[in-house]
Amino acid sequence: MSSALDEDTRQTLDAGRETAGAMLRSAQKDLQKVFIVFLVGFIGSFYALRLYVWGFLEGITRSRLDEVASGELQIIAQTPFDVILLQAKIGLVAGIILGLPVFLYFSRDALQERGLWPSSPVSRWKLALGGLLAAGLFLAGLAYGYLVFFPVMFAFLANNALSAGFTPTYSIVLWAQFIFLLTLSFGLAAQLPLAMSALSYAEIVQYETFRDRWRYAVVAMFAFGALFTPPDPFTQIMWAIPMLVLYGFSLYLTKVVITAKRGSEQISVGAAAAGHWNFILGFGLIGGLLVYAFFTRGGLPLANDALAWAGSSRRLAAPGSTLPLSRTAGLALWTAVGTLLAGVVAFMYYVYAELDAAVDPIEVGDPTEIDLAELDAAGIRAAPPEAFADLSEDDAVSMAGDAMDADDKEKARAILDRFDEAETVREAEGSADAPQSTTEEIGDRASRAGGTFLDEFTDGETDEDDIGGYYTDVAFILDSLTSRAFRIAAVFGIVLASTFGWLYTGGIGRVFEQFLSQLPSQVTPEDINVVALHPMEALIFEVKFSTLIAVFVTLPIVMYYAWPALRERGFVRGNRNVIFGWAAALVVGLFGGFVLGYTTVAPTVISYLVADGVRANMIIAYRITNFFWLIFFTTAGIGLLADVPVLMLLLNTAGVSYRTMRDRWREVTVGIMAFAAVATPADVMTMFMVTIPLMVAYGIGLVVLFVVTLGGRRDLSRSRSANA
């Protein structure tokens, strides 16, 4: 193993092991204290889960359900050890999280010796303030999740499953993991203001980067929400809108912090706040009076009437009703909170206004006249693009060299980065003015790129069967699809959205009922119960199935647009209009196999699987994903298997030889396994259940081609061209 690692990697691993050993030796005399903290976290969370947390989480799950849905929803343990093992795992994680800071504190001597501990001590009040801010933001994220997001989301998921005819019977393991994952995501997402302001203050990430890259932040938020929340527009909006508001607030807070840092020499924050103490106090009192008037002058009933009009079952509680306080004490508490929040907002506004005015404004002039050599690294990154428009490569390298001589590596890096950006803009403008490349020029460029890539490994000797040939072909084909990418993506998106919308609005339930009516008389629909063990199981299946349909519909369009490039590279022959005939032949084969599977194969297989359980008086309960993928494999899967030999014959008519298909069986196997891993349930057994039949069908196709092409001595495409 060690021989497979380079010297730097081995040194890094050795240094890590040495550091870990030194930390253990340094904290050896205090390990008992660390273990006690770990044990408190482990046992405390174990019994908290048992006594309070499970009931609280179940209450949150059922809080927005009607009586019917609440009666149908069940949380079950699949094995006798599910609950206790889950509590032990969560307790273990909680104990480690609590014990790790204590361990780091007691091993600080070893970390100081290796330069891994802050050299300048941080005052305790700053640490306490940072910890309180982090804890407060974490609790705010949890409050939004548990008071708003979770109740609405679980009501939606349970009602969606019930409307399709499925029983929301959640496994306690999957249900708890889902809740805790979202809990962690909300708590960490709420740390965004603290993280952004700290990174900008420490100059790790510039404020201008957060400001200018907000589009990427929006895309990242929606992508994160798509991974960790139900894939429907409503919950996506419930996730994304608070995140966007939080990002905007974080930008403002970061600007305040950076302005305070840059203007700290001109003005004191305390003096700026003291100069406007009357306005800050006034705004605080106004905020408190507004909260007091809301609860005492009819605001609470109006807000609850508005919630009822909007169709929400939630109601705002009266002061003190949710806390062990009297109504007077609760009203006083909420008034104090309103006063504090309004005062903090006013404090931030006036302090920022004073600091912003104290920072000397930059006089606007000709950007090209800026002397880059006089700027520091931050100034180089903040300079306008026009200052680098006429900068030559020699000048940029010379300026970077001067910065390196002055031991300013950050400025040297900033100069080269800004020069590269300006060079990219100049190249883009030049390519926009140049005439469009022909197909032959694109092919030559791709060939040169592939050759250059391969020369690094083969000293100029290329072979179309190695990685260089694959790279050249793929680059050329993808380049030919670039101009049609919008149309392809539009077709894919429309089919995906249409299929998902139909399934989402009850289509999956109608398919389920129709299929149950096809079962033999010895198995009644009441014998089969389909359950959702995971809250998002039904939606995940709908998304995967919709994606699969969209891929099948879009594939002929991709082939149609890629045909000229495939023909240019010698993969196919003939006119691309044959795609329409191909699509018709494949649809006929798919439809024929589907009819056979839906009317005969699937009912026979499922009734055979259910019959023994029914005779033994067992309760038959299948997971949504397993049951519907079984239906898919035994209906549309029959058609797909029939289409494999048909597609191979069609490819042979287009110029793909029998020998090519025979020699490329390994690549085909890898492609099928990758497709099965993405499009089917995430388990190895199902992946092989898809891969093996498809590879058997591929083998049958090879046998058919062997017979038709006389062992590969002739191709159908050549015989067709000869007859023509």
Side-chain angles (χ1 to χ4, degrees), residues 59-76:
I60 292 293
T61 303
R62 299 179 183 272
S63 61
R64 292 291 300 272
L65 299 180
D66 54 32
E67 293 184 4
V68 176
S70 182
E72 292 288 340
L73 187 143
Q74 294 180 349
I75 300 173
I76 64 170

Side-chain angles (χ1 to χ4, degrees), residues 313-475:
S313 61
R314 297 195 65 86
R315 298 293 181 268
L316 298 180
S321 61
T322 58
L323 298 172
L325 299 174
S326 64
R327 185 181 186 280
T328 303
L331 182 60
L333 177 62
W334 280 109
T335 302
V337 171
T339 302
L340 179 62
L341 291 178
V344 169
V345 172
F347 167 79
M348 292 177 60
Y349 172 78
Y350 283 113
V351 170
Y352 172 70
E354 288 287 335
L355 291 171
D356 194 30
V359 179
D360 294 332
I362 300 175
E363 296 183 1
V364 179
D366 187 1
T368 60
E369 298 298 328
I370 296 177
D371 188 0
L372 300 176
E374 298 297 326
L375 301 178
D376 58 5
I380 293 292
R381 296 191 184 280
E386 292 81 4
F388 301 88
D390 298 328
L391 187 66
S392 66
E393 183 176 0
D394 293 336
D395 293 338
V397 173
S398 176
M399 292 175 59
D402 294 340
M404 291 293 292
D405 294 338
D407 198 22
D408 193 347
K409 298 180 181 179
E410 185 64 25
K411 179 179 177 180
R413 186 183 300 110
I415 292 172
L416 296 178
D417 290 343
R418 293 303 304 272
F419 171 76
D420 290 340
E421 294 175 4
E423 189 70 15
T424 302
V425 172
R426 286 193 290 267
E427 292 177 357
E429 293 175 349
S431 62
D433 297 334
Q436 296 293 325
S437 300
T438 62
T439 303
E440 289 77 8
E441 291 172 342
I442 295 175
D444 293 341
R445 185 164 64 251
S447 300
R448 289 195 299 272
T452 303
F453 175 79
L454 189 62
D455 288 344
E456 299 293 331
F457 299 96
T458 61
D459 297 330
E461 298 180 3
T462 60
D463 185 355
E464 287 295 317
D465 289 334
D466 56 22
I467 190 172
Y470 286 129
Y471 173 80
T472 304
D473 295 337
V474 171

Side-chain angles (χ1 to χ4, degrees), residues 652 656-663 702 705-706 709 711-712 715:
N652 190 257
V656 182
S657 66
Y658 160 77
R659 289 187 176 86
T660 300
M661 296 187 201
R662 183 193 63 190
D663 296 339
L702 287 177
L705 277 177
F706 181 82
T709 62
D715 288 334

